[in-house]
Amino acid sequence: SIVDENMDICQKIFADMDVIKFREIKSQMGDSLKAFIVFCGGMVNTDEISNNIIKPLIVSKFEKNTDIEAIIKGTLQVVDFATTDSFDKVVESVMYGETVLFIEGCKMAAILYTKQYALRAVEEPENEKVISGPREGFTESLMQNLTLIIRRVRTNELKTKVLIVGRRTKTTVCVCYLDSLVDKGMLKDIINRISAIEIDGILDSNYITELIADHRYSYFRTTGYSERPDCIVAKLLEGRAAILVDGSPMVLTVPYLFIENFQSSEDYYFSFYYSSFARMLRMAAFLLTI
């Protein structure tokens, strides 16, 4: 059968990977319609798989050759899903913590969003501590970082462009901006530069910094960075774009001006006069030091 063939292919693809789990499922239909799921142990919510996927498939009855989307919408209790006919997408999804479902008679496979793995708690960044201001910092989770930004910018002007970078790691990179404030030419240039990156893997946002720089051998940074959501939102409100990389707590901002080297995270929480005086004092100290 088709489902057996798909299972054989998946077992060959994930050969010698003991963390990949397979689970065959038979519904209560008279002809014992078969299905199976594949997922990566330790990266999924096993309770959700058991209660919202396996149990409904066992107790439900549906016609053979039914569209897989109709089966999911009428049977499973999952928040979100996608369909695919590519084994490359199946591999990418399983390795990212999703559960993939194959059903006899369905030409497409379903990607069910069930990821759950250990993440660092939201806490104040060690290298950007402030006396006044929020005590929140970005973590290694892209979605968690986006949530910290969205919670502060409650408008539909906030836009996100998701890109996949890295031939092997398939790292998710997200460009975040305010549509009415960002320079469209600069935004297009950023997206084109990130899309043109050809590398095996992106493990940190600093990879992006090097690969999209205007001048590779410049003595000065051409992208800013911060671990503080409030600082990133302040940059977005100034018309800049933020670049978030899955797996990195450092969020990049572009364009980056030299004068930003003399700015502090706390400047946004003090009076205009005090902050301006502090910045001028830093610039004067810089010139005297040189």
Side-chain angles (χ1 to χ4, degrees), residues 26-45:
K26 288 187 179 181
S27 75
Q28 290 185 342
M29 283 193 66
D31 57 354
S32 298
L33 194 62
K34 290 177 63 178
F36 81 92
I37 57 173
V38 53
F39 58 90
C40 184
M43 295 184 68
V44 295
N45 185 332

Side-chain angles (χ1 to χ4, degrees), residues 173-217:
V173 177
C174 181
V175 181
C176 191
Y177 58 94
L178 289 174
D179 193 48
S180 60
L181 299 178
V182 74
D183 181 88
K184 297 299 190 296
M186 178 204 70
L187 178 66
K188 184 178 179 181
D189 189 39
I190 292 168
I191 293 172
N192 288 341
R193 291 190 190 192
I194 296 174
S195 300
I197 293 174
E198 289 291 334
I199 191 173
D200 278 349
I202 298 290
L203 305 179
D204 186 72
S205 57
N206 279 308
Y207 283 59
I208 302 290
T209 300
E210 293 183 31
L211 295 170
I212 68 170
D214 284 324
H215 305 286
R216 186 180 294 272
Y217 303 107

Side-chain angles (χ1 to χ4, degrees), residues 11-288:
Q11 287 175 337
K12 289 177 182 177
I13 291 173
F14 295 111
D16 300 323
M17 292 185 67
D18 294 339
V19 294
I20 304 299
K21 308 297 182 184
F22 296 86
R23 172 71 156 79
E24 289 190 65
I25 305 165
K26 288 187 179 181
S27 75
Q28 290 185 342
M29 283 193 66
D31 57 354
S32 298
L33 194 62
K34 290 177 63 178
F36 81 92
I37 57 173
V38 53
F39 58 90
C40 184
M43 295 184 68
V44 295
N45 185 332
T46 53
D47 290 336
E48 184 175 356
I49 291 174
S50 299
N51 298 326
N52 300 344
I53 299 174
I54 296 176
K55 186 177 179 180
L57 284 173
I58 291 174
V59 301
S60 299
K61 295 181 179 180
F62 44 84
E63 298 295 330
K64 193 172 182 179
N65 298 320
T66 307
D67 181 63
I68 196 166
E69 290 191 18
I71 294 173
I72 294 170
K73 291 176 181 178
T75 304
L76 305 187
Q77 301 170 10
V78 292
V79 175
D80 202 4
F81 71 94
T83 57
T84 183
D85 59 357
S86 168
F87 278 102
D88 289 337
K89 185 65 178 177
V90 168
V91 173
E92 181 184 333
S93 301
V94 171
M95 299 305 290
Y96 195 53
E98 318 296 2
T99 299
V100 179
L101 169 67
F102 293 86
I103 297 177
E104 182 65 54
C106 297
K107 297 179 180 179
M108 307 285 282
I111 300 168
L112 310 174
Y113 295 92
T114 58
K115 70 166 71 70
Q116 184 184 58
Y117 36 79
L119 293 171
R120 183 164 59 92
V122 175
E123 55 191 15
E124 187 175 13
E126 289 294 328
N127 59 344
E128 292 184 73
K129 288 184 178 294
V130 294
I131 296 173
S132 60
R135 295 291 189 269
E136 292 179 332
F138 291 122
T139 68
E140 286 72 23
S141 169
L142 175 64
M143 291 308 300
Q144 197 169 53
N145 294 343
L146 275 174
T147 302
L148 292 172
I149 294 174
I150 293 168
R151 191 160 56 85
R152 288 172 168 81
V153 186
R154 302 170 189 174
T155 171
N156 62 337
E157 290 184 24
L158 181 68
K159 308 297 182 184
T160 56
K161 174 68 174 177
V162 175
L163 304 165
I164 304 298
V165 183
R167 287 186 294 265
R168 299 184 187 279
T169 61
K170 300 288 193 300
T171 305
T172 304
V173 177
C174 181
V175 181
C176 191
Y177 58 94
L178 289 174
D179 193 48
S180 60
L181 299 178
V182 74
D183 181 88
K184 297 299 190 296
M186 178 204 70
L187 178 66
K188 184 178 179 181
D189 189 39
I190 292 168
I191 293 172
N192 288 341
R193 291 190 190 192
I194 296 174
S195 300
I197 293 174
E198 289 291 334
I199 191 173
D200 278 349
I202 298 290
L203 305 179
D204 186 72
S205 57
N206 279 308
Y207 283 59
I208 302 290
T209 300
E210 293 183 31
L211 295 170
I212 68 170
D214 284 324
H215 305 286
R216 186 180 294 272
Y217 303 107
S218 172
Y219 292 109
F220 306 101
R221 287 188 65 94
T222 54
T223 56
Y225 64 92
S226 178
E227 288 187 66
R228 297 185 60 87
D230 54 322
C231 287
I232 296 301
V233 171
K235 301 297 182 187
L236 293 177
L237 292 171
E238 292 172 2
R240 291 174 172 79
I243 303 172
L244 296 83
V245 178
D246 193 21
S248 174
M250 287 290 183
V251 175
L252 306 177
T253 56
V254 286
Y256 182 70
L257 308 177
F258 180 73
I259 195 69
E260 291 183 57
N261 289 295
F262 304 103
Q263 297 179 4
S264 168
S265 301
E266 288 185 314
D267 290 349
Y268 293 100
Y269 300 105
F270 293 119
S271 71
F272 166 79
Y273 302 103
Y274 179 85
S275 298
S276 299
F277 173 74
R279 289 182 182 181
M280 287 188 287
L281 198 62
R282 294 182 200 120
M283 285 185 275
F286 170 76
L287 293 172
L288 287 171

